Amino acid sequence: MSRFPRRFIDDSSMEDPRISLCPSIYYRAIKPNDLDRLEQIHRDIFPIKYESEFFQSVVNGVDIISWAAVDRSRPDDHSDELIGFITAKFVLAKDSEIDDLVHYDSSKGEETLIYILTLGVVETYRNRGIARSLISEVINYASGLSVCRGVYLHVIAHNNAAICLYKRLMFRCVRRLHGFYLIKRQHFDAFLFVYFINGSRTPCSPLQVAMFVVNYMKSGIKSVASKLVNEEKGLKWLICKDTDCVLPSQTKPNLGSSSVYEFI
């Protein structure tokens, strides 16, 4: 299945006169000659420094998959220059931090997940749907792999724009990780978002059921018994809704070397 090229026309108004009023955004694989530009954008927009080994792995496709966004309406010498990107890697589902949330199909062998590492769009092209399209590229690619069970990522808790984007794209917030990021000697919480694919999750996950039981236990046996009586009378008291939830986790803090950062 071919991933490239994919074309996206954005006809929204542009504030920067250097950008076409009707940019033609294309999505392609990141290539070796994107190395300098990729490093520059990471330096400009991310709060941490990435090792050169990371960038070499991205541009050469070594254990990392990636997509680039370019604006073909720019002058010839810039028409293939990166304006946005997304990088990701495969993780064995059984070895991931969400293995307890994945519904496995033993007939499909070693099942995997895709973990988004970094997502960025240069400032002059933000709020134009490019980040959304880059994430969609990853989801579409993952959905075409029968052994892939989902796409997941971490997002720093105060990045409201990214959080809203993931929710619009139907990612599910399944955990809050306290002190997950360590940036400039300060800890920040993170949310763990997952997009389940290929039947990897039942409508009511074990985690949701467990949390439901805990909450009702706090209400006391009498309250639960009363609800059970009401159920016998035809009133449903256990309603499993597909809503966003934020749950605590004991995940160890991440120093930032392999966790997702996004500027959209």
Side-chain angles (χ1 to χ4, degrees), residues 55-67:
F55 298 109
Q56 289 293 337
S57 295
V58 173
V59 300
N60 292 301
V62 179
D63 299 324
I64 292 179
I65 54 176
S66 62
W67 288 257

Side-chain angles (χ1 to χ4, degrees), residues 12 19 22 92 111 133 135 154 161 168 201 206 210 243-244 260:
S12 58
I19 302 174
C22 188
L92 287 178
E111 296 179 329
S133 294
I135 296 171
H154 298 94
R168 288 198 302 269
R201 190 173 186 179
T243 56
D244 295 321
V260 68

Side-chain angles (χ1 to χ4, degrees), residues 33-51:
N33 59 5
D34 292 318
L35 179 61
D36 291 342
R37 178 65 171 165
L38 183 67
E39 290 182 320
Q40 176 190 335
I41 298 177
H42 274 75
R43 285 194 303 269
D44 291 345
I45 67 179
F46 293 153
I48 66 171
K49 180 181 179 180
Y50 284 81
E51 300 294 334

Side-chain angles (χ1 to χ4, degrees), residues 82-140:
L82 293 188
I83 60 167
F85 58 83
I86 191 167
T87 66
K89 67 176 181 179
F90 284 99
V91 178
L92 287 178
K94 66 180 182 180
D95 296 333
S96 73
E97 61 188 290
I98 60 169
D99 64 312
D100 58 319
L101 303 179
V102 177
H103 178 70
Y104 293 94
D105 183 350
S106 58
S107 66
K108 294 185 178 180
E110 288 279 70
E111 296 179 329
T112 66
L113 299 163
I114 290 182
Y115 177 61
I116 295 179
L117 295 164
T118 59
L119 167 63
V121 177
V122 298
E123 186 173 2
T124 50
Y125 281 90
R126 290 179 194 167
N127 302 313
R128 306 182 190 283
I130 296 173
R132 180 175 65 248
S133 294
L134 286 166
I135 296 171
S136 296
E137 291 284 352
V138 178
I139 292 174
N140 292 337

Side-chain angles (χ1 to χ4, degrees), residues 97-206:
E97 61 188 290
I98 60 169
D99 64 312
D100 58 319
L101 303 179
V102 177
H103 178 70
Y104 293 94
D105 183 350
S106 58
S107 66
K108 294 185 178 180
E110 288 279 70
E111 296 179 329
T112 66
L113 299 163
I114 290 182
Y115 177 61
I116 295 179
L117 295 164
T118 59
L119 167 63
V121 177
V122 298
E123 186 173 2
T124 50
Y125 281 90
R126 290 179 194 167
N127 302 313
R128 306 182 190 283
I130 296 173
R132 180 175 65 248
S133 294
L134 286 166
I135 296 171
S136 296
E137 291 284 352
V138 178
I139 292 174
N140 292 337
Y141 174 69
S143 298
L145 304 174
S146 61
V147 296
C148 188
R149 315 305 285 165
V151 178
Y152 74 109
L153 56 88
H154 298 94
V155 56
I156 199 163
H158 60 249
N159 193 337
N160 294 324
I163 290 169
C164 290
L165 172 62
Y166 300 136
K167 288 182 177 180
R168 288 198 302 269
L169 288 171
M170 305 306 293
F171 277 75
R172 299 179 64 178
C173 182
V174 295
R175 291 191 177 111
R176 180 169 186 142
L177 310 176
H178 297 285
F180 182 81
Y181 290 112
L182 179 58
I183 304 173
K184 296 181 180 179
R185 299 183 180 181
Q186 184 175 356
H187 287 282
F188 296 89
D189 291 356
F191 293 135
L192 176 59
F193 278 88
V194 186
Y195 186 96
F196 294 97
I197 59 175
N198 296 327
S200 62
R201 190 173 186 179
T202 57
C204 208
S205 73

